[in-house]
Amino acid sequence: MRTGILGGTFDPIHEGHLAVADAACAMLDLPRVLVIPSHHPPHRPAEPRVSPYHRFAMAALAVLPRKPGPRYDPSDLELVSADRSYTANTLRRLQADGLDPCALFFLTGADAFAEIATWRDYPALFDLAHFVVVSRPRHPVAAIPQVLPTLRDRMIMGQVQGARKELVMRRIVDGQAVSPRKAPPAIWLLDWPTPDVSSTDIRRRLRENESIAGMVPENVEAYIRRYGLYGASPEANR
Ligand code: ATP
Ligand code: MG
C-alpha cells in the first residue's frame, strides 16, 4: 500500500505536522500515513523536552479525531530501538517489512529538507523512498532547487493552480508532466499553505502561560495540561 511516513520529534505534535500529511495525501493520493516520533533525533543540540512515551501518546491522540479519508496511524518503529533515529535505517526497516521504495513517501517540511545533505546515507537514501517536501511559512519549496542543485534531476514541482484548483505536477528540469503513481523514487516539492506553527513556539507559549488554542488538536492540549508538560498550567486553571 502506498504509504506516507511523517517523522519528527513531535515535541509536541501540532497542526503544522498534520497539514504536511494532509498536503501529501491530497496531492499524491496516499491512502495512509505512519506518524513516527523519533527516539533520539540525530540533528538536535539537546534531547527532546518530554519523554518518547509522552510524544508518542500525543501523536496517537492527534490522529484520533481525523476526518474520513486517508488513515493516519502512530508508529513506535523508532521508539523501540535505542539507536539514534536515522531516516535511512527507518526506511530500510520498512522495506524489510515488505514495503517497496516506490510505494514509500517520506514527508518533510522545506526547512528540514534544506539540511538533507547532512543526513546519514545522503544521497543513497533517495533510492530508499520518494521524498515529499512541503512548504512551510518562510520556507517556500521554490527555493529548494537552488539550495540543492545536484538533486534537480529528481525534483517534481506540484502546485494547485487556477480557479478550478487544478493539480499540476511537473519535472523541474524539462517541465514534463508526471504522475505520482508511476514515477520511480523522486523528490516531490509541494506548494501548500501550512499554518505558521512550531513546537518551539508552542513550548514557549506554555511556559509563559499564553494560549495555544488552534495550534494543536484539542485532545493534545488537554493531555499537555493534564500532565503539566512544558510547564503548562493544569486544565482547570486555564
Ligand atoms: P521544533 O520547533 O522543535 O524544531 P517543529 O515544529 O519544527 O519543532 P519538528 O518535529 O522539528 O517540528 O518537525 C518535523 C517535520 O515537520 C519536519 O520535516 C518539519 O519541517 C515539518 N514541519 C513542522 N512544522 C511545520 C509547518 N508549520 N509547516 C510545514 N512543515 C512543518
Ligand atoms: Mg523543527
Side-chain angles (χ1 to χ4, degrees):
M1 191 195 286
R2 290 151 49 76
T3 302
I5 309 295
L6 183 64
T9 312
F10 303 137
D11 192 21
I13 195 163
H14 56 65
E15 294 292 349
H17 299 128
L18 297 168
V20 168
D22 292 345
C25 289
M27 292 181 80
L28 300 171
D29 194 22
L30 302 180
R32 74 160 175 171
V33 173
L34 298 180
V35 180
I36 309 188
S38 59
H39 194 175
H40 299 294
H43 294 290
R44 300 206 161 223
E47 286 294 308
R49 277 288 313 280
V50 308
S51 77
Y53 306 104
H54 280 313
R55 291 184 289 111
F56 180 88
M58 290 187 282
L61 286 172
V63 299
L64 266 187
R66 303 301 290 172
K67 340 167 235 313
R71 199 191 148 102
Y72 296 171
D73 288 320
S75 162
D76 62 2
L77 188 83
E78 292 188 358
L79 300 190
V80 294
S81 155
D83 299 340
R84 298 244 142 222
S85 306
Y86 291 108
T87 295
N89 294 350
T90 300
L91 294 175
R92 287 195 190 99
R93 273 288 309 278
L94 290 165
Q95 264 181 49
D97 290 347
L99 284 160
D100 186 87
C102 290
L104 276 179
F105 294 77
F106 187 80
L107 319 182
T108 73
D111 62 315
F113 190 79
E115 309 289 322
I116 195 105
T118 66
W119 291 23
R120 170 165 285 197
D121 291 343
Y122 170 91
L125 88 175
F126 291 120
D127 294 326
L128 300 174
H130 292 273
F131 277 70
V132 181
V133 188
V134 179
S135 52
R136 183 172 186 169
R138 294 171 297 287
H139 298 275
V141 281
I144 296 286
Q146 286 105 64
V147 177
L148 295 158
T150 52
L151 300 174
R152 282 173 62 93
D153 284 0
R154 286 177 175 258
M155 291 182 188
I156 297 161
M157 176 68 89
Q159 278 170 314
V160 179
Q161 286 180 347
R164 283 172 48 217
K165 298 216 177 298
E166 202 189 341
L167 182 58
V168 193
M169 298 278 191
R170 293 189 188 287
R171 277 156 46 115
I172 298 275
V173 282
D174 55 13
Q176 238 185 25
V178 198
S179 155
R181 287 190 166 275
K182 297 196 183 114
I187 299 169
W188 303 84
L189 307 178
L190 306 186
D191 195 12
W192 187 268
T194 62
D196 194 0
V197 186
S198 75
S199 300
T200 302
D201 185 50
I202 290 168
R203 294 193 298 267
R204 180 195 62 75
R205 283 168 176 270
L206 290 165
R207 250 187 345 259
E208 296 177 7
N209 221 3
E210 288 178 24
S211 168
I212 59 161
M215 297 182 166
V216 299
E218 278 176 19
N219 58 359
V220 172
E221 176 169 359
Y223 183 93
I224 289 172
R225 294 192 186 280
R226 168 74 174 72
Y227 294 102
L229 306 185
Y230 311 107
S233 54
E235 196 152 24
N237 298 345
R238 234 188 323 165

